[in-house]
């Protein structure tokens, strides 16, 4: 008689194949569907079912804003922490992110992340350690992993623009750790909003001198030199290796005192 499958392996396999579309969880064949952003941005043939047309999507987009606003309205002061989902547990960068979350929590701030693994998980972990509110704003992706275990208050989104609105609306600043395209997208979104004065008094701190210095050099030596930005635009960024200094800058001087990493 064949051995019964290990229930833990079965659960892990289901989790790996699971997809989220907002509040909806999809598995197996049901998970083989296009992302909501993809469906929104691609034009379809005439005669589609109404639930796949733009007027219906407007209602669904509206519901995401209502859900986000309703959930986060009473959050209080908060700082968003961005960084790579690929940051490994136990690494120096993971510990930096965890320390940032802990110091923010100790300073009286909620911590908002994308709710995923890596640096996001680390910052949420630190917030929980400090007894602060730990927030995750998830997004539907092909490689969706779900909320990390340290998220106390989580909201899942279908659309990036709805999610980005929540990051900016409910944060008083950003701390940005090393990351990939998603982190860069969030960084330059924040920079653009501050540069164009769509948001004011919004500190943006880069944590990781070795990682971010080449980007700063390129902005100064190429982008500024070409006249694509102005010199004051570069002053919108602060750069450090020190989690305590990052927190102090991000909170406008209200964070923990400076310490060595």
């Amino acid at each position: 008689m064949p051995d019964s499958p290990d229930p833990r392996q079965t659960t892990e396999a289901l989790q790996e194949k699971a997809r989220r579309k907002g509040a909806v969880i999809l598995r197996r064949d049901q998970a083989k569907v296009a992302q909501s952003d993809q469906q929104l941005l691609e034009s379809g043939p005439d005669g589609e079912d109404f639930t796949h047309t733009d007027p219906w999507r407007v209602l669904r987009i509206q519901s995401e804003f209502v859900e986000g606003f309703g959930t986060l309205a009473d959050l209080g002061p908060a700082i968003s922490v961005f960084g790579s989902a690929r940051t490994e547990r136990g690494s120096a960068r993971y510990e930096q992110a965890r320390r940032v979350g802990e110091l923010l929590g100790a300073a009286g701030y909620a911590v908002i992340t994308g709710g995923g693994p890596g640096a996001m998980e680390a910052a949420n972990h630190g917030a929980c350690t400090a007894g602060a509110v730990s927030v995750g704003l998830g997004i539907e992706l092909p490689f969706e992993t779900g909320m990390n275990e340290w998220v106390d208050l989580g909201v899942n989104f279908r659309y990036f623009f709805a999610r980005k609105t929540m990051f900016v609306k409910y944060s008083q600043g950003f701390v940005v750790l090393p990351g990939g395209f998603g982190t860069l997208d969030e960084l330059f979104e924040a920079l653009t909003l501050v540069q164009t004065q769509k948001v004011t008094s919004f500190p943006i701190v880069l944590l990781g001198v070795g990682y971010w210095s080449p980007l700063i050099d390129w902005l100064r030596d190429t982008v500024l030199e070409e006249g694509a930005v102005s010199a004051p635009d570069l002053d919108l960024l602060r750069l450090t290796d020190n989690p305590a200094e990052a927190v102090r800058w991000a909170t406008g001087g209200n964070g923990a005192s400076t310490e060595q990493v």
Side-chain angles (χ1 to χ4, degrees):
M1 182 176 179
D3 293 335
S4 300
D6 187 333
R8 291 172 299 178
Q9 294 178 352
T10 303
T11 300
E12 290 173 358
L14 286 173
Q15 289 175 341
E16 289 177 0
K17 295 179 181 179
R19 286 274 305 279
R20 283 188 176 271
K21 290 178 73 67
V24 179
I25 298 175
L26 304 169
R27 293 194 174 102
R28 292 176 282 275
D29 289 343
Q30 293 297 313
K32 299 174 183 177
V33 293
Q35 297 180 71
S36 298
D37 271 326
Q38 178 186 353
Q39 292 174 334
L40 172 66
L41 298 173
E42 290 182 352
S43 298
D46 293 336
E48 285 185 333
D49 183 85
F50 178 69
T51 59
H52 293 145
T53 61
D54 288 343
W56 177 264
R57 291 192 184 106
V58 169
L59 297 176
R60 195 156 58 197
I61 291 166
Q62 176 180 293
S63 73
E64 292 213 335
F65 281 104
V66 170
E67 190 71 39
F69 293 157
T71 301
L72 301 175
D74 298 323
L75 181 61
I79 300 292
S80 286
V81 180
F82 298 125
S84 176
R86 305 181 187 187
T87 301
E88 295 183 359
R89 291 177 180 172
S91 67
R93 286 176 180 166
Y94 186 98
E95 289 305 312
Q96 272 193 328
R98 188 197 61 75
R99 184 62 176 152
V100 165
E102 186 177 27
L103 290 171
L104 285 170
Y109 286 79
V111 174
I112 306 175
T113 78
M120 295 174 282
E121 173 190 291
N124 287 134
H125 185 177
C128 284
T129 300
V133 180
S134 176
V135 181
L137 304 180
I139 185 69
E140 173 195 347
L141 293 171
F143 38 86
E144 176 64 49
T145 59
M147 292 287 180
N148 69 68
E149 63 180 308
W150 299 104
V151 169
D152 297 324
L153 182 63
V155 184
N156 280 302
F157 293 87
R158 285 180 168 91
Y159 301 104
F160 268 116
F161 55 83
R163 179 183 186 237
K164 285 181 178 179
T165 300
M166 303 305 151
F167 275 123
V168 176
K169 180 173 177 60
Y170 293 104
S171 296
Q172 279 68 57
F174 286 170
V175 176
V176 189
L177 288 98
F181 288 158
T183 302
L184 292 170
D185 176 52
E186 290 152 345
L187 167 61
F188 281 101
E189 176 92 11
L191 275 173
T192 301
L193 290 172
V194 176
Q195 181 201 44
T196 56
Q197 299 181 20
K198 297 296 184 182
V199 294
T200 56
S201 302
F202 196 88
I204 303 169
V205 183
L206 304 179
L207 184 58
V209 173
Y211 190 88
W212 293 114
S213 288
L215 175 63
I216 301 298
D217 292 342
W218 174 73
L219 289 173
R220 182 184 61 248
D221 298 338
T222 301
V223 181
L224 178 61
E225 188 68 23
E226 290 282 343
V229 297
S230 301
D233 295 334
L234 300 186
D235 294 335
L236 299 175
L237 292 168
R238 305 292 295 269
L239 180 63
T240 183
D241 271 328
N242 189 318
E245 190 167 46
V247 168
R248 181 164 54 84
W249 284 340
T251 58
N254 298 318
S257 60
T258 301
E259 64 178 26
Q260 294 298 314
V261 177

